Each structure stands twice: as structure tokens, then as C-alpha cells.
Amino acid sequence: MAVDAAHQQVFLSDPFGGSVLVTDYSGQVVKQIGGEAGAWGMALSSDSRTLYVALRDAGAIAAIDTATLQETARYDTGTGAGAYAGPTSLALAGGKIWFGYSTDAWNGALGSLDLSGAQPVVARGQGLDTFRGSPRLAATPQDPDTLVAAESDGNAATLAVYDVSTGQADVQAKRVDPGTDGCTSLQDLALTPDGARVVVACSSPYYHQAFRTADLADDGRYTTSHYPDAVAIAPDGTIAAGIDGASSPDVYLFTQDDSTAFKTWDFPASSPYATNTLQPAGLAWAPDGSRVFAVTEDSGSSSLTLQVLDLPQFATTVTVQAPASSPRNQDLTLTGKLQAPVGFGVGTTVDIWRLDDPTAGEGTLIGSATVAADGTFSYTDRPKAKGDVQYTVQYGGDARHTSAYGTVTVDITSD
């Protein structure tokens, strides 16, 4: 899956039907783009104008215009085509399109497609000593030079982290069968927005594991259940973890620092004798964090369904601290914190208002402050008026958070 926020579209690849299905945010089909032989992994350009699709059975990467929903270009990867040759996964990192492919029935490697010059340039044959099959890839725009690849032969997974800043995949860390309890049959992986951690879904153990990308050391776990098979991470860091289990919730939501889910979903089946299970790698976030998309299969009908899991806004609070008093025309620093059950995305800001006379008026907007990943912020002012000055910190809210504000009053004394 790939989610296009600019046009509010969801793209789903159909490798066996040779097409890409396009739906709107409600799950209604917009178009089926045919002629995409072995359409597998996908990646969306940073401006959301182009969808790149790995065409395993064509040995190529297709470029699709997200506005017209027409293929505009096709790039031969030089890998050959078919189940044990063509590209199956894509990720954008280091200014290139990286792809995972098979070199034969038993081995895989990394390749890249560079579209920055007058002619496309393909490079292959990286990571040859690591993967027993076509690797899955993960990257994040906030850490554009980091690429994570993973592959499992069904017994033990291999994870590798690469620095791709030079145009080559320079291995930074590698680990086979990672985790305290190993990693059997890896199904999916995702990077946190800052690129510091990778979360994996392996059929066993029965929880989702996290590893530091710096050295692939164990870095926590998320309590799910039998047969983890999907993971997706929102821009604000909220983790959606899914399983292929019939008797437990299908999807769990976590904040990064809490191993216990704050919300779960269970997909109903078409009959008491059927099951409705999440498909491998079957989770994706809307970029604004307002909903999760999930692909499920109902055993009663053997059909695939796109489930749209809408999220409510979560209550948000703002706390503000400042000195009880401060001299006029001197730096005065406000500190505070936004708090909610789910985190805040990169680029979140709060507005700072100052009211020199708390008994009248609405005050003046004097600036804004950037909110850190942990919700904290600070702002420095130089008030000129003496007496009680009231500061209000206002957060406007977003798709995941309600608006909120907090106030503090400071006694401004003589110079």
C-alpha cells in the first residue's frame, strides 16, 4: 500500500492481477490501473506527484502520475523478470529509488535507480552476501540517508542498516536472527520518523520487536499476539501493529515508549465459521494520522477488503511555567509541554500570546515555539510593561489532537 495525502488516495498493488488499485479515503474504488505486470512494492515521491511501482514480472519500475493515474515512464532494472529476478520492494533514500530483487531462487540483493541526471542510472549487486531472497526495504524522509533492509528465509531473519549518502549502500550494522527470541518468517518492517528505530513483524515471537538502527541492538517490544504480520508508523511516531491471529485483536496502536496498546481493533467475519485476518504488510497510515488503512481477507468469501479505521481526536493539554516575577526589558523564558495519549508530529508548533493587562483585551500574538518530540517547548520574551503580564500558549489541534491552551501570569518589575 501507499497513501497519497495530496489527492486523498490509497494505492494497492495486485502482483498476481498485474494492476494497481486506487481507492479514495473511504475505500471506494477510483480506478484500476492495468498493465503493471507483477506490481509489488510501491513508494510515493516526496511531493506526492509520482507513485513508483516495482514490477517483478516485467523487471522494471513504473512511474505513475498520481493526478492522472496514468503510467508516465518505465525503467528497466536490468535484473531480469519473474519470481526469482524482478524487483519486489522500493524505498526512497539518498536521492535515489532503492529496490530489492532476487538474483536467483536462493539469493537477493539491493539495487538503485537514479533519476537526478539527464538519463536514468541503474546500479545493482549490493548486499549480495546478506540476503537469501528479495529483501524488504524501509526508509524515512527525516533521515534520508538511512536505508534498512530485511529478509527471511522462513527460519531466521536478517536485518541490515545502510548509509546511502554516497550513492552506495554502505553497511552500518547487520544482525541475523535478531531479538531475544529470534525472528522467524519476517513479514514486515517500518522505521520510526527519526530513523532511530526499526520495528519488525515476525511470525514468531508473538510480539512486535524494535531495534536501534545505530547498531541493531534490542530496543523494546510491543505486546501483540500470535503471528505478527504487519507494522506501520505514523509521522508522529504512533505505531500500528497487526497480527494474523483469529482469536485476538487484529490491530494494536502504541505510542513509541509504551509496550501496552492504547487502542485495538478486531475485524468481524462474514459468518460465525469464518475468520477475517489481516494480510502481511497490510497496514498503512494516512499522513495526517487521522486513520489507518488495513487489508483483510475473509475466509468465508476469500475476498480482500480495504478496511478504513478512523481515529478520534485525543484530548490534549498544555502546561506552561514561568518565573513568578521578572525584571522589565530582560529575557523571560516560558517553558511548557503538550500532552496527549498519542505523540505530536515533526513541525508541530504552539502560538504565544501576551496580554500586558490581564483585566482587558485578548492580547497580542508575539511568536510561536516548536514542539519537541517529547511535547516540550520554550519561548523567550522581553516584556516592556510593568505589572502583571499574562502569557497564553495556544495549540490549534490537528487530525489526532484537540485544540488546547494554557496560561501563566508573571509579575514584571522595574529594571
Side-chain angles (χ1 to χ4, degrees), residues 26-51:
S26 68
Q28 297 299 307
V29 175
V30 174
K31 184 176 182 179
Q32 186 169 13
I33 306 171
E36 308 295 328
W40 212 277
M42 297 182 289
L44 194 64
S45 64
S46 59
D47 60 8
S48 292
R49 293 182 178 180
T50 305
L51 176 75

Side-chain angles (χ1 to χ4, degrees), residues 22-407:
V22 189
T23 77
D24 61 21
Y25 268 18
S26 68
Q28 297 299 307
V29 175
V30 174
K31 184 176 182 179
Q32 186 169 13
I33 306 171
E36 308 295 328
W40 212 277
M42 297 182 289
L44 194 64
S45 64
S46 59
D47 60 8
S48 292
R49 293 182 178 180
T50 305
L51 176 75
Y52 297 102
V53 185
L55 304 181
R56 185 195 67 177
D57 297 342
I61 295 172
I64 293 174
D65 186 306
T66 57
T68 65
L69 301 180
Q70 299 288 332
E71 183 178 317
T72 58
R74 183 171 292 198
Y75 307 99
D76 190 337
T77 56
T79 58
Y84 300 115
T88 59
S89 58
L90 296 180
L92 305 183
K96 297 182 178 182
I97 304 168
W98 290 85
F99 57 91
Y101 68 101
S102 295
T103 56
D104 54 40
W106 305 105
N107 299 285
L110 299 175
S112 65
L113 170 63
D114 187 353
L115 298 178
S116 63
Q119 297 294 325
V121 177
V122 173
R124 296 179 299 275
Q126 303 188 58
L128 286 171
D129 61 341
T130 299
F131 306 111
R132 295 188 180 181
S134 184
R136 301 173 184 267
L137 305 180
T140 177
Q142 294 178 39
D143 188 9
D145 294 331
T146 296
L147 178 70
V148 179
E151 180 276 331
S152 177
D153 64 358
N155 295 316
T158 296
L159 274 176
V161 180
Y162 298 93
D163 178 356
V164 295
S165 60
T166 64
Q168 301 295 314
D170 297 320
V171 65
Q172 304 298 298
K174 177 182 171 182
R175 190 171 176 189
V176 178
D177 203 21
T180 303
D181 300 307
C183 175
T184 300
S185 187
L186 184 141
Q187 301 291 307
D188 202 6
L189 75 161
L191 276 173
T192 55
D194 60 5
R197 304 168 81 218
V198 57
V199 180
V200 301
C202 302
S203 294
S204 175
Y206 299 151
Y207 55 84
H208 284 64
Q209 305 174 83
F211 305 97
R212 289 199 309 256
T213 52
D215 54 8
L216 290 178
D218 295 0
D219 198 23
R221 64 176 64 180
Y222 299 97
T223 304
T224 51
S225 190
H226 295 70
Y227 314 122
D229 69 346
V231 59
I233 303 179
D236 67 5
T238 304
I239 296 167
I243 66 165
D244 180 19
S247 59
S248 303
D250 298 288
V251 178
Y252 304 69
L253 294 190
F254 301 86
T255 58
Q256 285 196 49
D257 56 358
D258 194 339
S259 63
T260 301
F262 66 83
K263 186 173 180 59
T264 63
W265 285 276
D266 195 19
F267 300 122
S270 59
S271 76
Y273 307 102
T275 58
N276 197 5
T277 54
L278 182 70
Q279 295 302 285
L283 292 174
W285 282 92
D288 66 358
S290 62
R291 66 203 78 193
V292 178
F293 300 98
V295 177
T296 64
E297 181 179 24
D298 192 309
S299 64
S301 62
S302 298
S303 63
L304 297 180
T305 301
L306 178 64
Q307 311 275 354
V308 182
L309 312 177
D310 290 313
L311 296 178
Q313 283 187 314
F314 292 97
T316 304
T317 60
V318 179
T319 56
V320 191
Q321 296 86 35
S325 63
S326 181
R328 188 170 68 95
N329 291 320
Q330 299 294 318
D331 284 352
L332 166 62
T333 298
L334 310 174
T335 60
K337 188 172 187 178
L338 283 184
Q339 292 180 292
V342 295
F344 300 89
V346 173
T348 298
T349 61
V350 291
D351 292 332
I352 315 296
W353 295 74
R354 185 182 66 213
L355 183 58
D356 294 331
D357 180 3
T359 64
E362 296 182 353
T364 302
L365 178 63
I366 59 173
S368 63
T370 299
V371 178
D374 62 358
T376 59
F377 59 85
S378 66
Y379 183 84
T380 300
D381 185 34
R382 292 177 68 90
K384 294 179 173 55
K386 290 196 302 180
D388 286 344
V389 172
Q390 179 179 288
Y391 290 93
T392 298
V393 177
Q394 185 176 42
Y395 170 62
D398 59 22
R400 300 285 300 285
H401 306 87
T402 61
S403 59
Y405 70 91
T407 63

